[in-house]
């Protein structure tokens, strides 16, 4: 929202300077983004056409020699019919930005001839709607080489208005806030007295479910629509809006001044019966922006019985638009449903000034006042006779009531506030109230749809009183209670554990691209977002890998070849609250390390990822002996290069999975930099270990007695997993068997087809004594017997 201090002073009686206004705006929550005026003076010059001749390669273009006062003649290609020898006009040089369409001028080759700039029409300069020819200037008033635009524009203050403060989308609303902050006195709105001497010939019908609750209108006959007077053009230009014609400029002026959007129709182009209704699927609407929009059910339309005249609260129709030839006008001021406005405008991709205001909330009680003020100014500038004013639909808009106590302010803010300050601030903000035993019964003005509860009143009071008045209270040094739950601590520890293994943490949205999410085989159509922030982020993610792979690909494009990234967050399996789980997932691609003087390159493989998951689960407090791993493929992994971790073989509740990402997924996402490996740890399935067990340190015992190593080779069925073999053999005698390592696996040759040879290395050591040959032999027999009994294994000679 752009304002100027002079326009602000139309509503605020004050003598403060610009710096004080800016400072106060920031203090009361109306953040000033920038201050400044656009300088057009250096780029738009008064110029004279010395010679205009036909373009050598185009029948409808002219090649003009243009004197811009620098002593050098510029060659400019022009298509205007009035371009002629001796014409004084406006020249836009390279670097100029055309006000109408924001086109930046540069040297351009047009049909084989270089054009050094542009000769401008009034429409392109934002002066009027005249676009038939280039601007013709009076030689008595303008001199060649002078700047056409004088750089004496007043600095515009650009304010970032938050969505809840719709009242500040009008200059009067900003003036009211500044008045409440002590910067001056708010000037009362003038009383409007109009002589209505003709009958209103129009009848308005509002159909149910149209999205319009109230529609006020009048008819003005016999006007002369011309170029706006200087004061009106200057006001619009100062805040970045281009003047069009007097009638249209007046409606824009009222919108910016009072936050009251209006719309004017050419009364001779519409029937006398105006119908406000809901659209039907398949209808089409030709708008002022010259686009033809297909409509669905539910849009609010202003129509007659033959055609659509406008899209209510969004944009008018081209077939009923005002022009300089318009003699009679139908002027509308209405109240529209903000939700409907927002939905249809977003769906059609229309972003108008009216839509921007209606979707945030417009004061319904200023509907008739805005209409009368516009009619008064139109009659003053364009003449004409005004009909009676008619309002169809709701006309009695009630104020919301809220109970407020000073104790609530003190409880939330921590400071007391005097009754004098409460009354002063509420009065200045336009709130009516009654005080009964320190309880204020407040009537909220209709221009403040954001004030709904007692806490909102507290916010208004401290905002105007000053956030700097809040006293700082230092928190206690020690908290008697744990801030985080055991589960939260577990999740944070898991993040640190993964990060310590060289992974970089990423933080992405919980929503992702549905096309990519579908590749992981878990996507639920019910998770599609109704109103996504972008087309590429249109669904809640069902896999932690969706966003990670998107970022892996983006990083590859930035020449990052070796990547280890992870994220901790929710993934969703249903659209109802709670249908989600917390997952920590990681992706690794490239090489573990690059070639150096000691080692060769080493690519990432399945065992690197498995090791990361295994160590993390151990660090999370899970007993190594209770972990079970099986080769079982999720659809997102390569079927033969993946696995799952379970607790005590409980296959109903996986702790984690890992593997090579399915090559088909990588191909569909179009990543061509080799194999990608990933893992997922399901934090909800990790058991919360007893605090006593996690804090208790295990005594590290060192044996002073000799250790012995023994190797065994067994022929065993292929179906048995290495982990199971090791766990069973460790239980033969945990006091003596310290470690078991598989150092060789062989199949083929003279070994049966469904069997393989596994060679085991056992580390045997006692804490109490040196083992003799007999004890070692007895332990060896137990190992062989256990293998034969548990796995039907035979000792390989």
């Amino acid at each position: 929202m752009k304002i100027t201090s002079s326009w602000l002073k139309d509503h605020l009686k004050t003598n403060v300077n610009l710096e004080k206004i800016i400072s106060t705006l920031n203090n009361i929550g109306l953040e000033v983004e920038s201050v400044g005026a656009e300088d057009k003076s250096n780029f738009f010059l008064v110029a004279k056409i010395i010679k205009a001749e036909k373009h050598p390669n185009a029948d409808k273009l002219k090649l003009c020699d243009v004197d811009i006062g620098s002593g050098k003649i510029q060659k400019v290609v022009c298509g205007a019919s009035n371009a002629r020898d001796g014409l004084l006009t406006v020249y836009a040089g390279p670097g100029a930005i055309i006000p109408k369409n924001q086109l930046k001028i540069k040297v351009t080759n047009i049909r084989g001839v270089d054009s050094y700039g542009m000769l401008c029409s009034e429409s392109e300069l934002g002066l009027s709607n005249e676009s038939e020819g280039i601007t013709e200037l009076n030689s008595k008033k303008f001199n060649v080489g002078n700047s056409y635009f004088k750089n004496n524009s007043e600095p515009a203050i650009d304010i970032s208005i938050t969505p809840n403060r719709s009242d500040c989308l009008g200059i009067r609303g900003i003036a009211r806030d500044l008045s409440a902050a002590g910067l001056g006195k708010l000037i009362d709105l003038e009383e409007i007295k109009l002589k209505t001497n003709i009958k209103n010939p129009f009848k308005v019908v509002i159909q149910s479910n149209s999205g319009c609750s109230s529609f006020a209108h009048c008819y003005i006959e016999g006007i002369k629509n011309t170029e706006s007077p200087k004061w009106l053009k200057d006001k619009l230009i100062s805040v970045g809006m281009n003047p069009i014609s007097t009638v249209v400029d007046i409606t824009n002026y009222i919108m910016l001044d009072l936050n009251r959007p209006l719309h004017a129709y050419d009364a001779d182009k519409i029937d006398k019966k105006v119908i406000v209704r809901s659209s039907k699927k398949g209808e089409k609407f030709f708008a002022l922006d010259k686009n033809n929009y297909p409509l669905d059910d539910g849009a609010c339309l202003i129509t007659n019985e033959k055609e659509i005249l406008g899209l209510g609260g969004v944009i008018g129709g081209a077939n009923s638009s005002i022009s300089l030839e318009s003699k009679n006008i139908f002027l509308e001021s209405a109240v529209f449903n903000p939700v409907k406005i927002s939905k249809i405008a977003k769906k059609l991709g229309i972003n108008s000034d009216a839509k921007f205001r209606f979707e945030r909330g417009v004061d319904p009680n200023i509907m008739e006042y805005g209409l009368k003020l516009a009619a008064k100014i139109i009659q003053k500038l364009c003449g004409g006779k005004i009909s009676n004013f008619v309002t169809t639909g709701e006309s009695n808009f009630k104020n919301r009531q809220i109970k407020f106590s000073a104790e609530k302010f003190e409880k939330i803010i921590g400071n007391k506030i005097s009754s004098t300050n409460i009354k002063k601030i509420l009065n200045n903000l336009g709130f009516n109230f009654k005080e009964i035993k320190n309880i204020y019964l407040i009537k909220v003005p209709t221009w403040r749809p954001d004030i709904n509860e007692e806490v909102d009143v507290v916010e208004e009071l401290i905002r105007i009183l000053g956030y700097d008045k809040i006293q700082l209270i230092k928190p206690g040094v020690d908290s008697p209670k744990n801030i985080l739950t055991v589960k939260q601590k577990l999740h944070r520890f898991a993040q640190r554990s993964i990060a310590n293994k060289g992974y970089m943490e990423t933080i992405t949205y919980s929503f992702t691209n549905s096309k990519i999410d579908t590749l992981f085989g878990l996507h639920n159509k019910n998770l599609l977002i109704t109103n996504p922030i972008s087309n590429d982020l249109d669904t809640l993610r069902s896999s932690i890998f969706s966003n990670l792979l998107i970022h892996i690909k983006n990083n590859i494009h930035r020449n990052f070849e070796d990547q280890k990234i992870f994220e901790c967050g929710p993934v969703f399996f249903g659209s109802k609250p709670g249908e989600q789980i917390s997952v920590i997932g990681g992706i690794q691609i490239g090489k573990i390390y690059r070639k150096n003087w000691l080692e060769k390159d080493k690519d990432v493989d399945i065992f690197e990822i498995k090791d990361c998951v295994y160590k993390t689960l151990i660090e999370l407090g899970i007993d190594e002996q209770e972990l079970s791993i099986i080769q079982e493929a999720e659809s997102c992994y390569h079927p033969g290069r993946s696995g799952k971790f379970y607790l005590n073989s409980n296959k109903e509740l996986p702790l984690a999975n890992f593997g090579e990402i399915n090559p088909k997924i990588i191909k569909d996402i179009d990543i061509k930099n080799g194999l990608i490996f990933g893992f997922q740890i399901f934090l909800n399935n990790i058991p919360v270990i007893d605090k006593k067990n996690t804090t208790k340190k295990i005594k590290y015992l060192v044996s002073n007695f000799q250790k012995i190593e023994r190797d065994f080779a067994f022929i065993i069925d292929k179906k048995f997993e290495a982990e199971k073999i090791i766990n069973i053999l460790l239980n033969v005698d945990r006091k003596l068997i310290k470690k078991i390592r598989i150092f060789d696996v062989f199949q083929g040759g003279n070994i049966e087809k469904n069997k393989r040879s596994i060679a085991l290395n056992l580390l045997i050591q006692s804490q109490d004594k040196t083992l003799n040959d007999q004890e070692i032999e007895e332990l060896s027999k137990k190992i062989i017997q256990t293998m034969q009994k548990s796995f039907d294994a035979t000792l390989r000679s």
Side-chain angles (χ1 to χ4, degrees), residues 441-487:
L441 302 177
I442 300 172
K443 282 189 176 181
V444 181
T446 50
W447 62 74
R448 291 302 301 271
D450 59 312
I451 305 297
N452 297 294
E453 304 175 48
E454 189 177 14
V455 70
D456 295 327
V457 179
V458 173
E459 183 183 0
E460 287 301 293
L461 292 173
I462 191 61
R463 183 175 67 87
I464 300 300
L465 192 64
Y467 293 113
D468 58 329
K469 301 294 190 298
I470 301 175
Q471 294 178 1
L472 297 178
I473 302 173
K474 292 183 179 180
V477 177
D478 297 315
S479 175
K481 296 182 180 179
N482 286 324
I483 298 172
L484 300 178
T485 65
V486 177
K487 268 285 188 188

Side-chain angles (χ1 to χ4, degrees), residues 25-42:
L25 286 170
N26 284 320
N27 289 340
I28 60 176
L30 301 177
E31 183 185 353
V32 176
E33 289 194 329
S34 63
V35 181
E38 186 180 1
D39 186 3
K40 304 176 184 177
S41 60
N42 295 328

Side-chain angles (χ1 to χ4, degrees), residues 158-204:
D158 192 358
I159 305 173
S160 176
I161 305 296
T162 53
N164 64 311
R165 292 304 309 276
S166 58
D167 58 307
C168 289
L169 292 174
I171 289 173
R172 182 168 182 81
I174 297 170
R176 184 185 298 110
D177 264 24
L178 290 173
S179 171
L183 236 62
K185 186 177 184 303
L186 187 68
I187 299 169
D188 293 334
L189 289 173
E190 63 172 311
E191 186 180 351
I192 300 174
K193 294 181 180 180
L194 289 172
K195 185 178 181 182
T196 56
N197 45 16
I198 59 171
K199 187 178 179 182
N200 191 331
F202 286 87
K203 180 182 179 182
V204 174

Side-chain angles (χ1 to χ4, degrees), residues 430-595:
F431 291 77
N432 293 323
F433 58 89
K434 289 182 180 178
E435 184 184 4
I436 304 173
K437 296 181 179 179
N438 293 324
I439 299 295
Y440 296 84
L441 302 177
I442 300 172
K443 282 189 176 181
V444 181
T446 50
W447 62 74
R448 291 302 301 271
D450 59 312
I451 305 297
N452 297 294
E453 304 175 48
E454 189 177 14
V455 70
D456 295 327
V457 179
V458 173
E459 183 183 0
E460 287 301 293
L461 292 173
I462 191 61
R463 183 175 67 87
I464 300 300
L465 192 64
Y467 293 113
D468 58 329
K469 301 294 190 298
I470 301 175
Q471 294 178 1
L472 297 178
I473 302 173
K474 292 183 179 180
V477 177
D478 297 315
S479 175
K481 296 182 180 179
N482 286 324
I483 298 172
L484 300 178
T485 65
V486 177
K487 268 285 188 188
Q488 288 171 328
K489 288 179 179 179
L490 179 74
H491 290 192
R492 294 198 179 190
F493 181 79
Q495 289 172 275
R496 293 197 300 273
S497 177
I498 298 295
N500 285 338
K501 295 172 180 61
Y503 285 79
M504 302 291 290
E505 185 172 11
T506 68
I507 299 174
T508 70
Y509 292 115
S510 293
F511 28 87
T512 186
N513 188 313
S514 58
K515 292 179 181 178
I516 292 178
D517 203 52
T518 304
L519 298 175
F520 295 95
L522 302 170
H523 185 65
N524 185 337
K525 289 184 178 179
N526 293 331
L527 299 179
L528 289 171
I529 298 169
T530 305
N531 189 21
I533 61 171
S534 75
N535 292 333
D536 292 335
L537 299 170
D538 60 344
T539 188
L540 290 172
R541 65 186 176 196
S542 63
S543 171
I544 200 77
F545 290 145
S546 301
N547 286 338
L548 288 177
L549 283 175
I550 291 172
H551 288 286
I552 282 281
K553 183 178 179 180
N554 291 339
N555 291 340
I556 288 172
H557 290 165
R558 295 179 176 91
N559 294 323
F560 291 98
E561 296 176 343
D562 306 330
Q563 299 181 57
K564 294 172 74 173
I565 63 173
F566 81 97
E567 181 173 12
C568 183
V571 297
F572 303 84
F573 55 87
S575 57
K576 296 179 181 178
E579 292 183 335
Q580 64 186 65
I581 58 172
S582 294
V583 176
I584 186 165
I587 293 283
Q588 186 169 359
I589 184 174
K591 297 185 182 295
I592 299 173
Y593 46 77
R594 293 278 171 179
K595 182 171 61 175

Side-chain angles (χ1 to χ4, degrees), residues 204-206 210-218 251 254-255 258-265 274-277 300-302 310-314 330-338 341 354-355 357-359 361-372 374 389-395 397:
V204 174
V205 176
I206 302 177
S210 65
C212 175
S213 59
S214 188
F215 192 105
H217 69 279
C218 71
T251 60
I254 300 295
M255 176 183 69
L258 300 176
N259 189 33
R260 168 29 66 184
L262 306 170
H263 191 69
Y265 304 80
V274 175
I275 304 167
V276 185
R277 63 174 176 83
C300 180
L301 300 180
I302 314 298
L311 189 57
V314 180
F330 173 78
L331 198 59
E332 161 220 309
S333 180
V335 177
F336 298 103
N337 183 300
I341 295 289
K355 165 259 174 185
R357 286 163 171 78
F358 275 121
E359 70 180 355
V362 172
D363 181 12
N365 278 329
I366 206 169
M367 177 180 66
E368 291 187 12
Y369 183 87
L371 183 67
K372 289 179 179 179
F389 293 81
V390 178
T391 299
T392 307
E394 189 177 353
S395 58
F397 299 96

Side-chain angles (χ1 to χ4, degrees), residues 579-620:
E579 292 183 335
Q580 64 186 65
I581 58 172
S582 294
V583 176
I584 186 165
I587 293 283
Q588 186 169 359
I589 184 174
K591 297 185 182 295
I592 299 173
Y593 46 77
R594 293 278 171 179
K595 182 171 61 175
N596 58 63
W597 67 281
L598 278 176
E599 299 166 305
K600 295 180 180 180
D601 288 359
K602 187 174 187 329
D603 292 321
V604 179
D605 56 29
I606 184 71
F607 302 105
E608 181 76 14
I609 296 297
K610 176 189 172 184
D611 186 60
C612 171
V613 179
Y614 181 77
K615 288 179 178 176
T616 302
L617 293 175
I618 300 299
E619 289 166 1
L620 290 176

Side-chain angles (χ1 to χ4, degrees), residues 639-654:
R641 301 173 191 166
S642 59
K644 282 186 179 180
F645 281 96
Y646 293 96
L647 189 64
N648 294 322
S649 300
N650 179 6
K651 294 188 178 181
E652 299 296 320
L653 212 61

Side-chain angles (χ1 to χ4, degrees), residues 673-684:
N673 284 51
L675 304 180
I676 300 179
F677 297 87
F679 67 84
Q680 297 179 98
I681 298 174
F682 305 105
L683 296 174
N684 294 60

